[in-house]
Amino acid sequence: MALDTTDLSILNKLQANAQLTTKEIAAAVNLSVTPVHDRIRKLERAGYIERYVALLNRKKLGKSLVVYCNVTLDKQRKESFEEFNAAVSRLPEVLECSVVSGSFDYLLKVIANDVEAYNAFYQQNLSVLQSVLHISSFFVMSEVKSTTEIPI
Amino acid sequence: MALDTTDLSILNKLQANAQLTTKEIAAAVNLSVTPVHDRIRKLERAGYIERYVALLNRKKLGKSLVVYCNVTLDKQRKESFEEFNAAVSRLPEVLECSVVSGSFDYLLKVIANDVEAYNAFYQQNLSVLQSVLHISSFFVMSEVKSTTEIPI
DNA sequence: GTTGAAACCGGTTGTCT
DNA sequence: AGACAACCGGTTTCAAC
């Protein structure tokens, strides 16, 4: 499926504010409501739009701490990757987990209430994994930017 | 403002799927539509819900590459932080930027079409900054997990 | 792709308990 | 705070152009 500039404009509006009505988007792209509605359905069905979510305020919910951690796995054990991937997927504190190039294997973004809570999480959920060889934690001191918007 | 378990349950539903109707949420938390509606408005006004967005499929939009980069600033120059913060905020390719503890200063999450496009971005937008002393890039080879949902 | 009409559904408001 | 009824607005589908 090929996207034209109108589709891209619609996606851009929706990733900034999913509450816009079809009417408002229609006005912005100079179309009537019907074709805009059809395009949005099409973009959803084709998978360009994955889902609609509410973004919550982390700090207000007590999750003041963000930690990025670098994890190196024990690559002697061939089950290590599957084990680690499965474990991480189950942990709600882990918001992002990627396999990266370079000197370590994984980069994780973890949130916790405070340093103490992070330490408990680290001890009980990460360091106990057989697959884990080494972990370095980097604490976020200040968030300069954080967006889910993909440049279009 | 204090949240009870019903409020938390509502937030949890909405951060998973913002398209749920008040009616559906009401059924899930065993209330009628009106109080659920009031609670959601209250949670929005109090800032627990920051916004509603559509999450797009990065890869379908051509942004196949995710790069995390560690940036060290020239701390001799006292304008460095302001300059770097301002620059990063303007760059749409930078989805996340945090000041971190440890051996480097910033951790950035950047997306690009491919390695070539990343290199162009890097050369033209990051390495030219006076404030930047050193950058290490880590390419994401596989995304194991990526969510915006805060554990509640 | 546009327009207009109609059915539908959820959000919204006011009122009552 | 919850339930109920009435109203309003947007969405959705359809037909005609």
Side-chain angles (χ1 to χ4, degrees), chain B residues 2-147:
Chain B
L3 303 186
D4 60 18
T5 57
T6 303
D7 291 320
L8 294 177
S9 174
I10 292 172
L11 288 175
N12 216 10
K13 300 262 176 212
L14 287 175
Q15 72 169 340
N17 178 8
Q19 304 233 93
L20 290 172
T21 63
T22 319
K23 201 176 181 179
E24 289 170 317
I25 296 173
V29 300
N30 289 312
L31 285 177
S32 65
V33 171
T34 316
V36 172
H37 176 259
D38 292 347
R39 281 169 184 265
I40 294 174
R41 280 300 103 78
K42 197 186 54 169
L43 291 165
E44 287 169 359
R45 270 185 266 110
Y48 287 92
I49 297 174
E50 297 198 324
R51 49 204 205 119
Y52 298 92
V53 302
L55 298 182
L56 308 185
N57 185 314
R58 196 166 43 73
K59 289 180 186 167
K60 287 214 168 229
L61 292 164
K63 305 294 175 185
S64 306
L65 186 63
V66 181
V67 183
Y68 284 97
C69 52
N70 295 343
V71 176
T72 305
L73 292 199
D74 180 352
K75 290 186 238 6
Q76 311 297 38
R77 302 174 66 248
K78 55 176 177 294
E79 334 80 284
S80 283
F81 282 91
E82 288 82 356
E83 180 186 298
F84 188 74
N85 288 355
V88 150
S89 300
R90 267 186 271 108
L91 298 172
E93 295 89 345
V94 178
L95 299 192
E96 302 178 21
C97 172
S98 298
V99 179
V100 294
S101 66
S103 49
F104 48 93
D105 296 321
Y106 284 88
L107 179 64
L108 273 63
K109 181 181 184 180
V110 178
I111 65 173
N113 283 25
D114 49 36
V115 176
E116 205 174 332
Y118 175 71
N119 188 49
F121 167 78
Y122 176 92
Q123 301 285 346
Q124 291 162 26
N125 295 296
L126 292 186
S127 66
V128 294
L129 296 172
Q130 295 281 318
S131 45
V132 171
L133 200 63
H134 180 256
I135 303 179
S136 309
S137 299
F138 297 91
F139 294 83
V140 169
M141 300 163 67
S142 160
E143 241 182 14
V144 176
K145 184 177 186 179
S146 176
T147 181

Side-chain angles (χ1 to χ4, degrees), chain A residues 21-23 33-34 37 41:
Chain A
T21 63
T22 320
K23 201 177 180 178
V33 171
T34 315
H37 176 258
R41 280 299 103 79

